[in-house]
Amino acid sequence: MSVTEVRGRRQVRRRPVRLRVVRTPATGAEVPPRIGVTEPVRPPVRRRSLTLVLAVVLLAGLVALGLTGHRWYQRHRLGTAHQAAIAAAKQATVDFVSISAASVDRDLQRISEGAAGDFADEFNRGRQQVRAAVVDNDVESRGTVLRAGLVSGDLDSAVVLVAVDATVKNVRAPEGRLSHYRIQVELIRDDDSDRWLVSRLQFVG
């Protein structure tokens, strides 16, 4: 049944409003219509799957980046430690073969300060004998490192082989004599000072 309104002389026919009645499939009961309420739109399953895959890929990339950074940091630390050990071994061998009667006490003290462990004990026990031999023979020796290479090592210990030339003057050779040495130096890193100290030094050729 329609409703007719009269506006002035013109009749306007309004269509009747029909409400859709929904019956539940289980009970058949009528459910009143919901006006202005829309059902939530769920994202398609394919889109959710793609998002999950992207999240997994991103997480895997972050983990791989973290592991790569950690390995690089460890290699960097080890490389830095090896370079410091080689530098310390070169300086130790130069100190050991560079000694003069005019500065013998200072020279021996420098060697002692860079020593540790068995080498420190052995050197300090024979220190006075070495001093007497240097003074009595008027020794003057100066050394130069030719090359040095790491034999083995980690963050706290290292073995370095050093080739050294030394010009030695004494009462028997006042003009000087050139000598060539190959010295193997074992070092340990001191935790307190972070210095590499000589724990063993031996001539190998």
Side-chain angles (χ1 to χ4, degrees):
M1 181 176 181
S2 62
V3 180
T4 305
E5 293 182 357
V6 179
R7 295 182 180 178
R9 297 180 179 180
R10 184 178 178 182
Q11 293 184 349
V12 178
R13 184 179 297 273
R14 300 179 61 186
R15 295 182 179 179
V17 177
R18 297 181 180 180
L19 299 179
R20 183 181 178 185
V21 179
V22 180
R23 297 178 182 274
T24 60
T27 61
E30 295 183 357
V31 179
R34 292 178 296 175
I35 302 176
V37 179
T38 58
E39 292 292 335
V41 179
R42 296 182 179 179
V45 176
R46 185 177 181 183
R47 182 177 298 178
R48 292 202 305 271
S49 300
L50 180 60
T51 302
L52 179 60
V53 169
L54 290 176
V56 171
V57 170
L58 178 60
L59 179 61
L62 292 175
V63 171
L65 182 61
L67 292 175
T68 301
H70 179 71
R71 286 194 294 267
W72 176 87
Y73 176 68
Q74 292 299 326
R75 288 196 299 270
H76 176 71
R77 284 187 64 201
L78 188 60
T80 301
H82 289 170
Q83 292 301 318
I86 293 173
K90 291 166 66 175
Q91 186 61 53
T93 53
V94 169
D95 292 342
F96 193 76
V97 301
S98 298
I99 191 167
S100 172
S103 57
V104 61
D105 291 326
R106 185 169 61 251
D107 297 337
L108 294 177
Q109 181 61 29
R110 185 169 56 247
I111 297 172
S112 180
E113 290 176 352
D118 294 339
F119 177 67
D121 295 338
E122 181 181 356
F123 179 78
N124 289 325
R125 281 197 302 267
R127 181 169 176 170
Q128 292 305 317
Q129 294 178 351
V130 172
R131 184 186 187 282
V134 170
V135 173
D136 292 345
N137 291 279
D138 195 22
V139 174
E140 183 179 350
S141 176
R142 290 290 177 264
T144 303
V145 173
L146 301 179
R147 55 188 175 276
L150 182 74
V151 177
S152 63
D154 52 32
L155 293 175
D156 298 311
S157 62
V159 179
V160 180
L161 188 63
V162 185
V164 182
D165 273 351
T167 301
V168 183
K169 297 180 181 180
N170 54 36
V171 292
R172 294 184 179 180
E175 299 301 323
R177 182 180 67 253
L178 181 64
S179 299
H180 179 74
Y181 305 109
R182 292 176 70 245
I183 304 174
Q184 181 170 293
V185 186
E186 297 181 16
L187 306 104
I188 57 174
R189 188 178 66 84
D190 180 62
D191 292 333
D192 296 332
S193 63
D194 200 31
R195 293 178 59 207
W196 286 88
L197 305 177
V198 178
S199 60
R200 187 179 182 188
L201 187 148
Q202 59 180 335
F203 290 85
V204 294

